[in-house]
Amino acid sequence: TDALKSFFALKQQVRFEEGGATVEKAAREVAAYLDGRHRKFTVPLDLTGWSPFAKRVWRAAGRIPYGQMRSYAWLAERVGGVNFARAVGGALSTNPVPIIIPCHRVIGARGTLGGFTGGLHIKRWLLEHEAGTQTLPLSGL
């Protein structure tokens, strides 16, 4: 689970309890996801301390189906209105558990990748992994 800890440690707010059942379940689910054997995460998340808006954004992002993408504007419409697209991007940038909360599935309206805490090369890889392809029809990269 050291690689998993390193990935999630990009956000200082994430704390791991050594040997904890939740951490072990998260590690198993992420490993299975990366191996192509898992599509939906069931690990319980404690999002105490985060803003209600960020939690709404993360819940809505979590409902984007595996292998599909939605725009920041699409997500904004679901959490407060199309004018909230920048705020949605801000909330996604603070996502404490990328992959589990699949913010990589949110892209720009014109097909650009937007941003991702782990870097755009990781976001692209995750999207390609879910699409089962090595190339995506995205522009502006």
Side-chain angles (χ1 to χ4, degrees):
T1 61
D2 287 340
L4 177 69
K5 289 180 184 180
S6 295
F7 184 79
F8 287 124
L10 293 170
K11 298 293 185 188
Q12 293 180 348
Q13 298 91 340
V14 176
R15 292 176 300 282
F16 289 94
E17 299 173 21
E18 291 298 326
T22 300
V23 172
E24 296 303 319
K25 181 175 183 173
R28 282 191 307 274
E29 288 189 357
V30 169
Y33 165 85
L34 294 172
D35 288 343
R37 298 178 287 115
H38 193 74
R39 292 184 171 208
K40 184 151 177 69
F41 292 94
T42 61
V43 64
L45 300 176
D46 179 2
L47 300 174
T48 304
W50 295 95
S51 76
F53 179 76
K55 289 190 268 190
R56 279 197 322 270
V57 169
W58 299 336
R59 276 193 299 275
R63 290 191 290 272
I64 300 171
Y66 180 96
Q68 295 186 24
M69 297 174 277
R70 300 291 188 267
S71 71
Y72 291 95
W74 180 92
L75 194 54
E77 288 177 17
R78 274 128 192 95
V79 298
V82 72
N83 295 332
F84 284 80
R86 283 191 190 274
V88 162
L92 291 175
S93 74
T94 64
N95 176 359
V97 284
I99 298 178
I100 293 174
I101 297 173
C103 58
H104 60 278
R105 295 178 188 156
V106 183
I107 63 170
R110 293 188 175 99
T112 59
L113 285 182
F116 187 69
T117 300
L120 292 183
H121 64 292
I122 300 290
K123 183 172 186 170
R124 175 182 275 283
W125 186 91
L126 292 168
L127 292 170
E128 289 172 348
H129 172 70
E130 291 187 11
T133 182
Q134 292 301 316
T135 56
L136 290 171
L138 299 175
S139 63
L141 303 178

